[in-house]
Amino acid sequence: MSKKIYLYGNWKMNNTYSETEKFFTEFPAAYDAVKADDLEVGIFAPFTSLWPLSQGAKKCGIVFGAQNVYYEPKGAFTGEISIPMLKEYDVTHIILGHSERRHIFLESDEVIAKKTKAVLDAGMIPVLCYGELLEEREAGNTFTVMERQLKSALAGLTPAETAKIIYAYEPVWAIGTGKTATPDQAEEVCKWSRELIGQKNAVILYGGSVKGSNAKELLSMPDIDGALVGGASLKPASFLEIYTAYKG
Ligand code: 13P
């Protein structure tokens, strides 16, 4: 039996409510054509698109989720969205610690750790992102940076909790740049992460300019369990092509 592939799409700040409805006029037929036991598809939309996403995703039987959440359940936190709010949309998965949250919105390791714990406590699955900047890689600090990011998010969690998390290694220099990590670079980090996490069966995704043309070599690496896809996930064809290219 071939390994299970996780194909997760992070729409970022793309696809309005009506654009999400339109996406799901095309997606079901495209998905039916590739659907397989060894494939898990997930889509992560902006909060305002969660309703049409939830309706479309439930019909197709795919995973869906949000791209962020606050760790407090309610209160005076203007502009934030809580876990109970997302639960009413039947959200099960939440992306946390994406590099755009870390670097544009200045989310700290400490905040990401609190969010990770809160999402796990709610019985939901964090999709925990981590990765280095170009200058950190060039200075030889890739592993120091990622060790800090991962250790702070996992501190105080039980092994049962760390096993539930889905991990996503996303080198910041490869995101939205068209520059992909080589399969060897991505594999090196994912293998190293598996040891640091201490879970042989941890699910570890690679993200950063994944598309049909580079999917096979990346997803064939032994420690890469799938892809977290930005740009290519916005259209059903370019998104699902990542799986068919891997299989083909
Ligand atoms: P791109 O696939 O657009 O490079 O984005 C990757 C990413 O950040 C997914 O979370």
Side-chain angles (χ1 to χ4, degrees):
M1 163 90 178
S2 54
K3 71 176 177 184
K4 179 171 170 182
I5 291 290
Y6 292 76
L7 180 61
Y8 280 6
N10 173 12
W11 282 356
K12 309 191 178 187
M13 199 174 73
N14 295 291
N15 282 344
T16 64
Y17 189 111
S18 60
E19 286 164 347
T20 303
E21 286 182 320
K22 185 168 178 293
F23 180 93
F24 278 99
T25 60
E26 296 164 24
F27 183 82
Y31 181 56
D32 269 351
V34 303
K35 211 148 95 176
D37 287 344
D38 67 355
L39 171 66
E40 177 171 309
V41 170
I43 295 179
F44 297 78
F47 296 127
T48 50
S49 300
L50 282 179
W51 178 251
L53 171 65
S54 70
Q55 300 308 292
K58 282 178 190 175
K59 277 191 198 130
C60 301
I62 62 166
V63 164
F64 64 95
Q67 301 168 9
N68 186 25
V69 76
Y70 196 54
Y71 55 81
E72 293 290 354
K74 63 177 173 180
F77 303 104
T78 302
E80 292 298 315
I81 295 285
S82 71
I83 290 170
M85 290 170 183
L86 295 180
K87 277 209 147 171
E88 288 198 2
Y89 284 73
D90 297 331
V91 163
T92 49
H93 291 55
I94 306 179
I95 294 177
L96 296 176
H98 191 277
S99 69
E100 287 144 23
R101 299 293 328 161
R102 292 177 189 266
H103 299 294
I104 303 174
F105 301 103
L106 307 180
E107 270 188 28
S108 64
D109 288 331
E110 193 193 351
V111 163
I112 294 160
K114 285 185 176 165
K115 292 181 174 187
T116 305
K117 178 71 178 139
V119 168
L120 286 166
D121 285 349
M124 297 161 98
I125 299 176
V127 179
L128 178 66
C129 304
Y130 59 99
E132 81 287 6
L133 296 163
L134 182 60
E135 54 265 37
E136 291 166 340
R137 176 164 279 265
E138 284 175 349
N141 291 334
T142 300
F143 293 96
T144 322
V145 168
M146 290 189 306
E147 187 166 339
R148 192 201 72 227
Q149 293 175 341
L150 278 173
K151 281 196 170 162
S152 72
L154 304 185
L157 300 183
T158 64
E161 288 174 320
T162 59
K164 283 191 190 117
I165 297 173
I166 293 180
Y167 299 85
Y169 167 53
E170 299 207 315
V172 183
W173 47 272
I175 296 177
T177 57
K179 232 192 217 179
T180 324
T182 64
D184 287 340
Q185 282 173 323
E187 168 64 16
E188 182 188 26
V189 173
C190 291
K191 187 172 192 301
W192 169 90
S193 312
R194 197 176 295 286
E195 275 159 36
L196 184 121
I197 295 160
Q199 297 282 353
K200 204 167 139 284
N201 296 321
V203 176
I204 306 177
L205 316 182
Y206 165 77
S209 300
V210 179
K211 44 188 184 282
S213 56
N214 56 29
K216 192 173 178 66
E217 42 177 11
L218 285 163
L219 297 180
S220 299
M221 300 311 271
D223 286 285
I224 301 179
D225 298 304
L228 185 56
V229 185
S233 72
L234 296 174
K235 295 273 177 274
S238 51
F239 185 35
L240 295 171
E241 185 197 357
I242 291 169
Y243 176 72
T244 48
Y246 161 69
K247 291 304 265 190

